[in-house]
Amino acid sequence: MFDFFKKNKTPDTEQKSKVEPQTTEVEEQKTLATPPVVEAEKLSLAERLKRGLSKTRQQLGGQLSGLFSGGKIDEETYEELETILLTSDIGVAATQKLLDALKARVKKERLEDTSALKEALKAELISILSPLEVALEINNHQPFVIMLAGVNGAGKTTSIGKLAKLFQAQGKSVLIAAGDTFRAAAREQLQVWGERNNVHVVTSEGADAAAVIFDAVNSAIAKKIDIVIADTAGRLPTQMHLMDEIAKVKRVINKALTGAPHEVMLVLDANTGQNAVSQVKAFDDALSVTGLILSKLDGSAKGGVIAAIAEERPIPIRFIGVGEAIDDLRPFKANDFVNALFDS
């Protein structure tokens, strides 16, 4: 789990001397696996994004480099490109759309050499992804209520911590509703984060999730809090009774504050590839999702799924997670994303 979810421990001198060799080794391994926030801040946004998308770039951009190295554009070129796009989880519909657009561009611009296809493909990808580039707007509602949903393990809890820190940096006051009442670890992680960053967390062990979030919204109204981030229990979209329960949570939020939630945000794990598209469809049908967070892109070779989402269910991607540092949750920018997929 991320650093900002861990409690500080200060062992006494005697204990520290006994375990220091092990602790040092663990910390060294952790440093290698998870770059600290200070290191992340030294990199430009473009460099951090490129680093975060390295696995997807190796899967997609690496293969494309060989294809675009020169030679005549023919049917075999398109067949090879189709295979590369499909194995990068871009999806059948988006792949076909890209191929059709490329063929039309090749004919119109009279392109003959495969080296000219690289910029053409980048342009077509940007065209497909640009409609998803819609920033989250915190309007004049007070509080502005954000409801988060997603399957277990998608990264909801850590995304909440990063979102809260992001909003705080913008001068907003934040309250967190620990609505995942089924998983004790989720409540504990949010409470630890809240304590360390002076964010109030409304929680209740064993209570109904809707009741916890209802109380949180009312508390935010009374205290004039700017933003409420409401966590919900992870669930599989195939379990319809659980999807009905989360729909009930949304209705209860609206009872606490008419018009809320103002944003229904679905967190997706990029590692799930095409399964993420199925999750988008199921949660959108149940909740009318208004925005997406695509997490764990830094650990996935399946970042191409963004194109599949754009074609199948074009819901705005508010943020993408490209690393473990606190500021590695960043707004989605189609042009930056596509450029980071290709070797420069």
Side-chain angles (χ1 to χ4, degrees):
M1 193 55 63
F2 299 92
D3 290 346
F4 55 87
F5 284 133
K6 294 183 179 179
K7 296 182 178 179
N8 290 326
K9 295 182 180 180
T10 308
D12 57 43
T13 305
E14 182 179 356
Q15 290 175 323
K16 184 175 181 181
S17 63
K18 293 180 180 179
V19 300
E20 191 166 1
Q22 287 183 320
T23 304
T24 302
E25 183 178 352
V26 170
E27 289 300 322
E28 287 176 353
Q29 292 173 352
K30 180 181 172 186
T31 301
L32 292 174
T34 307
V37 176
V38 174
E39 180 181 334
E41 290 176 343
K42 291 179 180 178
L43 300 175
S44 70
L45 293 178
E47 288 172 331
R48 282 160 49 201
L49 181 58
K50 189 172 182 179
R51 184 187 63 185
L53 293 175
S54 61
K55 290 188 177 181
T56 298
R57 184 170 62 255
Q58 290 167 9
Q59 173 67 28
L60 176 61
Q63 296 182 74
L64 290 175
S65 294
L67 180 62
F68 296 155
S69 60
K72 184 179 179 181
I73 300 174
D74 53 23
E75 197 58 35
E76 186 177 339
T77 302
Y78 292 120
E79 289 178 3
E80 185 176 349
L81 178 58
E82 180 180 23
T83 299
I84 293 172
L85 294 176
L86 289 174
T87 56
S88 299
D89 278 271
I90 285 180
V92 175
T95 293
Q96 190 59 55
K97 185 173 182 178
L98 281 169
L99 289 174
D100 290 344
L102 275 177
K103 289 178 180 179
R105 183 184 285 260
V106 166
K107 183 177 181 180
K108 180 180 179 180
E109 299 179 6
R110 298 181 181 180
L111 304 179
E112 296 182 355
D113 193 280
T114 59
S115 59
L117 283 180
K118 179 178 180 179
E119 292 304 318
L121 179 59
K122 288 172 65 175
E124 295 302 336
L125 270 172
I126 291 171
S127 177
I128 287 178
L129 298 181
S130 290
L132 305 187
E133 187 184 315
V134 183
L136 175 64
E137 291 188 9
I138 305 299
N139 54 33
N140 294 326
H141 294 288
Q142 192 182 52
F144 184 89
V145 182
I146 301 172
M147 175 182 175
L148 263 76
V151 303
N152 280 324
K156 286 191 292 89
T157 307
T158 50
S159 292
I160 288 172
K162 291 182 177 183
L163 280 174
K165 192 68 176 178
L166 176 67
F167 295 142
Q168 281 187 316
Q170 296 172 356
K172 305 288 187 182
S173 55
V174 181
L175 182 146
I176 296 173
D180 187 352
T181 56
F182 295 101
R183 193 168 69 92
R187 298 194 304 272
E188 292 172 357
Q189 289 162 1
L190 289 177
Q191 285 176 313
V192 169
W193 191 94
E195 290 170 2
R196 297 180 67 180
N197 295 275
N198 197 30
V199 172
H200 182 55
V201 179
V202 176
T203 183
S204 179
E205 184 176 353
D208 178 72
V212 171
I213 298 174
F214 184 89
D215 290 344
V217 172
N218 280 312
S219 175
I221 293 172
K223 297 177 180 178
K224 299 186 184 304
I225 299 293
D226 295 320
I227 299 172
V228 174
I229 305 176
D231 191 15
T232 60
R235 58 201 64 227
L236 294 174
T238 54
Q239 297 173 310
M240 296 311 298
H241 64 292
L242 294 180
M243 295 298 283
D244 290 341
E245 286 182 9
I246 199 171
K248 172 194 169 185
V249 170
K250 183 183 178 184
R251 293 194 297 271
V252 169
I253 293 174
N254 186 62
K255 288 182 179 179
L257 179 63
T258 302
H262 307 104
E263 174 83 358
V264 179
M265 200 174 287
L266 177 63
V267 182
L268 302 166
D269 180 349
N271 291 284
T272 60
Q274 288 297 302
N275 189 41
V277 180
S278 299
Q279 292 176 30
V280 172
K281 292 179 178 178
F283 279 95
D284 187 34
D285 290 343
L287 299 173
S288 297
V289 175
T290 56
L292 305 175
I293 293 178
L294 196 61
S295 68
K296 307 180 186 180
L297 274 168
D298 56 309
S300 172
K302 300 180 178 182
V305 72
I306 288 184
I309 293 171
E311 189 62 23
E312 298 288 342
R313 195 66 66 101
I315 296 171
I317 297 178
R318 307 298 195 190
F319 301 96
I320 56 175
V322 293
E324 295 186 340
I326 188 69
D327 54 354
D328 279 334
L329 186 71
R330 53 168 299 169
F332 174 68
K333 301 291 184 183
N335 191 72
D336 293 347
F337 183 86
V338 172
N339 284 329
L341 289 180
F342 292 81
D343 291 322
S344 56

